[in-house]
Amino acid sequence: MSSNTDQETAPIAAPRNGSAGSVFRSFGSLFGGNNSDTTRPQTPQSGDGYVEFGMQNPERSGRTLGTFAGVFSPVALSMFSALVFIRVGYIVGNAGLYITLLQFLIAYGILLFTVASVCAISTNGAIEGGGVYFMISRTLGVEFGGSIGTLFFFANVVGSAMAITGCTEAIMDNFGPGGHFVSDGATLPDGDWWRFLTSSIINTCQLLVCLVGAALFAKTSVLILGTVTISLLATYISFLSLSGTNDTIPVPLQNTYYNETSSHFLPYTGLSANTLSDNLGEQYGHDYTSNNKMVDFATTFGVLFSGVTGIMAGANMSGELKNPAKSIPWGTLSAVAFTFVSYIILSFLMSCTTPGVTMRNNYLFLMPVNVWPPFTAIGILTATFSTGLSNLIGSSRILEALSKDQVFGSLLNFVLHGTWKGNPIAAVAVSWVMVECILLIGSFNIIAQINSVLFMLSYLATNLACLGIELTGAPNFRPLFKYFTWHTCLVGLLGTLIMMFVINPIYASSCIILCLILVIALHLFSPATQAAQWGSISQALMFHQVRKYLLMLDPRKDHVKFWRPQILLLVSSPRSCCPLVDFVNDLKKSGLYIIGHVKVGDFKSVEDVEENQQWWSFLDHMRVKAFTEVTLSRSIREGVQHLIRLSGIGAMKPNTIILGFYDNEAPKDFFQNGSSPYKTDDFNSGDIQNFPIRRDGDPKHFQVQEYVQILCDTLRMKKNLCLCRNFQRLDKNFIAISKHVKYIDVWPINIFNPTSGDPFDMVSLFMMQLAVIMLAKWKHLRVRIFLCETNEERTVGTFDTQAPQMEIFSKMKLQQSLKELRITADIIEIEEWSRDSDFIRHARTLKQYTGQADNALLEDDDGDETMNRSLLYMQRANQIIRDRSDQTALSFIYLAAPPKLSATDFAERSASYVELLTELTADLPPTILVHGVSTVTSTTL
């Protein structure tokens, strides 16, 4: 029901959104693999053995990688990265063996708990391109997924720059001034800008590989890992076989601090108990690659963690794995164990053989102590180049996934347009440019700290996603990986959060603030379709918490001072009541707001259920914070009874029912009106118009008697009642800017039964409460309360001597009551009800005619004459109100109770009741007729 009360049935053809599978299919695999759709049934081929519906031969779908090649090799290679050959000595030499082992335990503890979360999420469904972004966005929703995905993109960019910087450092150490593989005079020039040029050349080579042979690189990861492993074994053998001598390791020319204060050679002892004893404790010194800044626990841990951040590499390859649910957990965990043991052995051997001063002043000392130095050179160059290339490819695929998801709208459309044969060339180019910018920092150790913080934030979000979905108890969360609980998720989350700030509080705070800004921006501007298709854990968490608090919200503990309107607005067609829907959204004062609609019919038609989709679209269009309830019943009255009794849940039940007015005015279509702020074509499907309205001249779908019966039912169910008329004239924008509109009017007099009693009865208090609520929305307006004095006992002759005293008393009482209620309002006195004798006589007639008086109809007048007098009285009351409404934005008028349902002539009285209300509200501003049945104001603290 609305400003017109038609209850027409309208077939709603809700457009169906694309399935989630269509979204999943849009992702490419991380290393340029096949974008196969494993959810679509394929035609079985002869002899392939895959004949069941929906199954594919893995060889034919592009899923050809097993656990070792698809997960173990990428993870192990990523976790070795640039750390294994060029920075383990830096960590051990500064932090000492004990602290180094502690740092490895902390780092791998965080990684182990995060791996448990990764395995749980990745074995609960298919993981496509984008890795951690895909997991978080499909679990936490588009806001967190988009923001963390963006930071994960930056993490991969920084990781690529870090590996390139390490590779450049190795090249300069080998082929620069004083290099191991060059003779005097045939060296590469060294310096900050020469190193930047070398890094740019390496970055450009990686760009060419990405554009030409990214898929080939993915297939050679096993060979690359084998090369790195052989080089690492050669390092172990060298430590055990060589008994080194002093002054055999040169000091890098870049280390100006040591060269200026000491000799140009560093000692190496080989296996020695004294060397081990000296290296057990911390001995923090200067970092010659970062302008000789002092090293501490945070910087060493930041460098260490940056080298072991490759645990997502296996999950990223799920698109190429034959059995992702099995390969990802086993491959990732085995790679973590393998690299952990390798690092521990390497750290222990370094502590036993190399003095701390050597490890602090030459980060690439492994080369001169190797039995065959090219082993170390090959290992460094292979590990750093492959890690940088892997991160460059990963960042481009994440950017491609963000663009395909339209997370940032059309901002990243150029990435989609810049794809050629499945290779996101534009995304690779953007990643390459970003890496170039990070390379300007120059220092491996500084870049490593930024890289560690960014990856830790990604891991934090992964643990948060798994923790949230585990705590909600969602039935569909059934991961095949069982070795995790919410405790492991929580420990991983807290561990990453704490260590982020240990590494660098400024970087950590900046990343978290940037993440929150992205979350807010995506929440405000990102399309809502992704959240509906992916699902968001926020919905599950909110359901979990709301259910708990609804059970705690006991209606028996309600107190009047915390009362707020909980509104059920009954509408017939949204087209004709847009201003009213918008207005009630302001009137609800953060309370419950339900828009109810009754359709007459039965449940034979399926379309009745589908209509809810259109109502939700209507709420989105109106931007109101409301729920919708649509019911189907045999009559309008019966449907309204259903809505009033059953809407809401627990203590969140409507206490105020709002209806449109029953009149003969032609409804206005605000969806089609050219000047309407609610104009839209979204609810027109070709020739079919959703939410149709009654056209001028069409008969109404229910009679006035049923309308009044609905009013009676509302009051019998102890609900406050409001009837709204003339809201098609409401223009909130005009009210906001107009200097002519100044007031919200309240008429606390029962015009059907005017008396000189207390103007602050329950109905009047309810009216004033609503007026004050609207005053909070329209702050530039003022409330006017019209004091209407009546004195039926006085004669005209005695009026003049008694009136002034009565007026003063009533006005003082009104002012005192307003003061106690903390309501600021202007009091306007109206004299017509007490001074006009004809007016008083017509009022008496109306009281008796409508049943407001104790006796029935006047015996000396027939019904027509009585009705005529009542109409004259209403017209006069309307004139009084209209004369004072020139500057009024909204009027609240006392609504007299409708005729009793038990009355023998209820049909006649109903028609007369509505006719009198029609006369009373004719040509007024937007008007609300109010009848309150509950106490809503409080004078107590």
Side-chain angles (χ1 to χ4, degrees):
M1 306 182 70
S2 67
S3 55
N4 63 84
T5 54
D6 299 332
Q7 299 287 336
E8 300 181 11
T9 60
I12 305 298
R16 297 187 178 273
N17 295 325
S19 65
S22 64
V23 178
F24 295 159
R25 290 192 293 272
S26 67
F27 287 89
S29 60
L30 178 61
F31 292 113
N34 193 308
N35 294 336
S36 60
D37 177 8
T38 60
T39 63
R40 183 182 302 169
Q42 301 290 324
T43 304
Q45 301 296 324
S46 174
D48 62 10
Y50 291 83
V51 295
E52 295 185 19
F53 182 79
M55 296 184 64
Q56 300 181 64
N57 186 337
E59 298 291 338
R60 296 182 180 276
S61 65
R63 295 179 176 270
T64 59
L65 296 180
T67 301
F68 186 82
V71 181
F72 180 87
S73 294
V75 172
L77 194 58
S78 297
M79 295 185 72
F80 277 145
S81 64
L83 176 67
V84 65
F85 291 111
I86 66 175
R87 281 301 183 269
V88 174
Y90 158 82
I91 298 168
V92 175
N94 284 281
L97 181 61
Y98 289 153
I99 300 298
T100 299
L101 296 179
L102 175 64
Q103 290 184 350
F104 272 113
L105 288 175
I106 294 174
Y108 273 84
I110 292 173
L111 292 175
L112 189 62
F113 291 123
T114 305
V115 166
S117 299
V118 171
C119 293
I121 297 177
S122 62
T123 59
N124 191 57
I127 303 297
E128 304 294 334
V132 69
Y133 159 69
F134 187 91
M135 287 188 286
I136 295 174
S137 63
R138 271 42 175 192
T139 306
L140 294 183
V142 64
E143 296 93 348
F144 279 99
S147 58
I148 296 296
T150 303
L151 294 181
F152 192 52
F153 162 74
F154 288 128
N156 278 270
V157 167
V158 174
S160 180
M162 183 189 74
I164 292 172
T165 303
C167 187
T168 300
E169 190 173 314
I171 290 175
M172 288 301 174
D173 190 72
N174 292 325
F175 301 101
H180 298 284
F181 301 112
V182 294
S183 57
D184 295 338
T187 63
L188 293 175
D190 197 2
D192 292 340
W193 287 106
W194 283 111
R195 291 192 175 223
F196 175 73
L197 176 61
T198 304
S199 299
S200 298
I201 293 173
I202 297 172
N203 191 25
T204 304
C205 292
Q206 293 184 353
L207 172 66
L208 296 176
V209 174
C210 288
L211 296 179
V212 177
L216 179 62
F217 166 74
K219 296 176 182 178
T220 59
S221 61
V222 175
L223 179 61
I224 297 173
L225 177 62
T227 303
V228 174
T229 304
I230 292 173
S231 300
L232 184 59
L233 290 174
T235 302
Y236 293 162
I237 295 171
S238 300
F239 282 135
L240 297 173
S241 62
L242 292 180
S243 56
T245 58
N246 289 331
D247 301 332
T248 58
I249 300 176
V251 178
L253 296 179
Q254 187 183 6
N255 190 349
T256 56
Y257 179 82
Y258 191 83
N259 279 320
E260 292 175 358
T261 58
S262 305
S263 66
H264 297 292
F265 291 93
L266 296 166
Y268 177 77
T269 65
L271 291 174
S272 169
N274 292 331
T275 303
L276 175 62
S277 177
D278 293 339
N279 285 329
L280 292 179
E282 56 189 25
Q283 304 177 57
Y284 294 114
H286 293 83
D287 179 10
Y288 66 85
T289 65
S290 303
N291 298 321
N292 295 318
K293 292 181 179 179
M294 281 299 298
V295 180
D296 54 18
F297 180 92
T299 54
T300 54
F301 184 79
V303 172
L304 183 152
F305 195 85
S306 68
V308 294
T309 54
I311 59 174
M312 297 291 186
N316 290 339
M317 295 294 292
S318 64
E320 286 78 32
L321 298 176
K322 294 179 181 178
N323 189 351
K326 178 182 178 182
S327 297
I328 291 176
W330 286 107
T332 304
L333 290 172
S334 58
V336 168
F338 172 69
T339 56
F340 177 73
V341 172
S342 300
Y343 278 125
I344 296 300
I345 295 174
L346 184 61
S347 301
F348 183 77
L349 290 176
M350 284 183 175
S351 300
C352 293
T353 59
T354 312
V357 63
T358 302
M359 291 186 284
R360 287 191 298 273
N361 291 283
N362 188 339
Y363 299 156
L364 282 82
F365 71 92
L366 289 180
M367 191 167 301
V369 302
N370 202 301
V371 290
W372 189 53
F375 269 131
T376 304
I378 293 172
I380 293 174
L381 296 177
T382 304
T384 54
F385 188 85
S386 63
T387 301
L389 182 58
S390 175
N391 282 318
L392 183 64
I393 295 173
S395 62
S396 65
R397 283 354 185 232
I398 296 168
L399 188 62
E400 181 189 23
L402 289 169
S403 63
K404 285 185 176 180
D405 283 347
Q406 293 289 298
V407 171
F408 295 98
S410 59
L411 184 63
L412 297 179
N413 281 352
F414 71 93
V415 174
L416 298 179
H417 298 150
T419 300
W420 183 67
K421 291 186 178 180
N423 193 5
I425 296 175
V428 173
V430 171
S431 300
W432 177 83
V433 172
M434 297 292 293
V435 171
E436 281 291 299
C437 295
I438 302 298
L439 289 173
L440 290 171
I441 297 176
S443 171
F444 178 96
N445 293 348
I446 294 177
I447 297 175
Q449 292 185 57
I450 301 174
N451 181 69
S452 295
V453 170
L454 286 170
F455 271 103
M456 276 192 165
L457 187 59
S458 302
Y459 296 162
L460 184 149
T462 304
N463 285 298
L464 177 63
C466 192
L467 174 65
I469 198 170
E470 172 70 7
L471 290 180
T472 58
N476 282 319
F477 186 60
R478 299 186 296 274
L480 299 177
F481 182 79
K482 303 297 183 182
Y483 301 100
F484 84 100
T485 66
W486 68 268
H487 304 85
T488 62
C489 303
L490 182 61
V491 171
L493 187 153
L494 294 177
T496 53
L497 181 63
I498 293 171
M499 296 313 297
M500 279 174 61
F501 285 91
V502 170
I503 292 173
N504 194 305
I506 296 177
Y507 294 163
S509 302
S510 301
C511 289
I512 292 175
I513 292 172
L514 177 59
C515 180
L516 293 177
I517 292 174
L518 287 170
V519 168
I520 295 172
L522 290 174
H523 177 74
L524 295 176
F525 303 112
S526 180
T529 54
Q530 288 93 332
Q533 293 173 341
W534 303 344
S536 173
I537 197 173
S538 61
Q539 298 297 312
L541 289 172
M542 283 189 287
F543 178 87
H544 185 270
Q545 292 302 110
V546 168
R547 181 190 62 84
K548 181 173 71 174
Y549 286 115
L550 276 175
L551 292 172
M552 296 171 60
L553 191 63
D554 190 344
R556 294 170 295 182
K557 298 178 182 179
D558 285 347
H559 194 281
V560 65
K561 65 184 178 183
F562 300 117
W563 180 92
R564 67 179 72 243
Q566 299 188 157
I567 297 172
L568 170 62
L569 172 64
L570 299 172
V571 303
S572 62
S573 173
R575 289 180 177 272
S576 60
C577 62
C578 291
L580 180 58
V581 170
D582 198 5
F583 169 80
V584 176
N585 187 60
D586 294 336
L587 186 65
K588 72 179 186 300
K589 189 64 174 179
S590 301
L592 179 68
Y593 181 18
I594 300 175
I595 299 176
H597 175 69
V598 179
K599 297 187 68 175
V600 178
D602 53 36
F603 285 94
K604 294 180 181 179
S605 176
V606 180
E607 287 77 7
D608 294 327
V609 180
E610 297 294 331
E611 188 176 359
N612 282 325
Q613 298 287 345
Q614 291 297 328
W615 282 93
W616 293 331
S617 299
F618 169 69
L619 295 183
D620 293 337
H621 170 65
M622 294 297 298
R623 297 181 181 178
V624 297
K625 297 177 181 178
F627 304 95
T628 60
E629 289 287 351
V630 180
T631 189
L632 200 61
S633 65
R634 292 169 294 182
S635 68
I636 301 298
R637 182 187 179 188
E638 181 182 339
V640 171
Q641 291 174 348
H642 295 167
L643 290 174
I644 295 175
R645 290 173 63 88
L646 301 178
S647 294
I649 183 171
M652 299 285 288
K653 304 282 286 185
N655 58 30
T656 303
I657 312 301
I658 300 180
L659 299 90
F661 196 77
Y662 192 97
D663 56 32
N664 294 315
E665 294 185 20
K668 183 178 179 181
D669 189 344
F670 288 94
F671 289 171
Q672 299 298 318
N673 189 296
S675 60
S676 169
Y678 312 104
K679 187 177 186 301
T680 180
D681 293 325
D682 293 344
F683 302 98
N684 294 329
S685 303
D687 296 332
I688 300 176
Q689 187 182 71
N690 299 318
F691 304 130
I693 60 175
R694 177 178 61 87
R695 301 301 176 183
D696 193 16
D698 292 345
K700 292 179 176 293
H701 284 75
F702 68 107
Q703 300 302 317
V704 66
Q705 179 179 345
E706 188 175 6
Y707 178 77
V708 179
Q709 286 172 337
I710 292 172
L711 306 186
C712 296
D713 293 339
T714 301
L715 297 179
R716 288 177 66 189
M717 285 187 271
K718 304 300 182 183
K719 306 293 184 183
N720 303 306
L721 176 64
C722 296
L723 305 182
C724 298
R725 191 179 187 194
N726 300 327
F727 272 80
Q728 71 276 8
R729 305 176 188 174
L730 181 67
D731 189 338
K732 289 173 57 178
N733 296 329
F734 177 76
I735 292 174
I737 63 175
S738 174
K739 296 182 179 180
H740 177 74
V741 179
K742 299 179 180 179
Y743 303 112
I744 298 174
D745 292 346
V746 178
W747 294 83
I749 180 174
N750 185 352
I751 299 176
F752 280 59
N753 184 13
T755 64
S756 57
D758 186 0
F760 281 80
D761 63 1
M762 192 173 292
V763 177
S764 299
L765 288 172
F766 184 68
M767 296 166 61
M768 292 185 196
Q769 183 78 297
L770 296 181
V772 171
I773 290 174
M774 289 312 304
L775 188 64
K777 293 293 182 179
W778 296 334
K779 298 182 184 298
H780 63 292
L781 303 184
R782 291 185 59 82
V783 173
R784 293 191 301 182
I785 299 177
F786 291 91
L787 178 60
C788 305
E789 286 291 333
T790 63
N791 188 0
E792 297 185 0
E793 305 299 327
R794 294 178 299 184
T795 63
V796 177
T798 62
F799 178 81
D800 295 333
T801 60
Q802 297 180 4
Q805 183 178 359
M806 293 294 295
E807 290 171 0
I808 294 173
F809 174 78
S810 296
K811 188 171 184 179
M812 290 178 58
K813 182 179 178 181
L814 182 58
Q815 289 174 337
Q816 181 62 29
S817 299
L818 290 174
K819 183 178 180 180
E820 293 176 356
L821 293 170
R822 305 168 306 282
I823 295 176
T824 303
D826 301 330
I827 300 175
I828 310 296
E829 297 179 84
I830 304 297
E831 301 177 352
E832 280 83 343
W833 266 275
S834 59
R835 295 186 182 276
D836 190 327
S837 58
D838 290 336
F839 191 39
I840 294 172
R841 188 170 64 255
H842 291 319
R844 292 174 183 170
T845 303
L846 175 62
K847 287 200 303 183
Q848 297 174 2
Y849 181 74
T850 58
Q852 302 287 334
D854 294 333
N855 55 331
L857 297 177
L858 292 178
E859 298 178 358
D860 56 344
D861 287 325
D862 57 30
D864 291 340
E865 180 64 22
T866 303
M867 184 61 184
N868 289 335
R869 291 183 184 179
S870 300
L871 288 174
L872 289 173
Y873 168 70
M874 281 297 175
Q875 291 170 1
R876 177 70 177 122
N878 172 262
Q879 185 64 44
I880 293 171
I881 298 173
R882 196 165 68 245
D883 289 344
R884 291 160 177 81
S885 300
D886 179 56
Q887 295 178 302
T888 300
L890 178 67
S891 293
F892 291 93
I893 298 178
Y894 195 117
L895 174 65
K900 298 184 185 310
L901 286 171
S902 58
T904 55
D905 54 348
F906 178 78
E908 180 184 350
R909 288 178 180 270
S910 299
S912 301
Y913 177 76
V914 173
E915 186 176 357
L916 293 171
L917 291 179
T918 303
E919 289 294 335
L920 174 64
T921 56
D923 299 322
L924 293 182
T927 300
I928 304 180
L929 296 164
V930 180
H931 192 94
V933 297
S934 58
T935 303
V936 298
T937 57
S938 172
T939 59
T940 61
L941 182 62

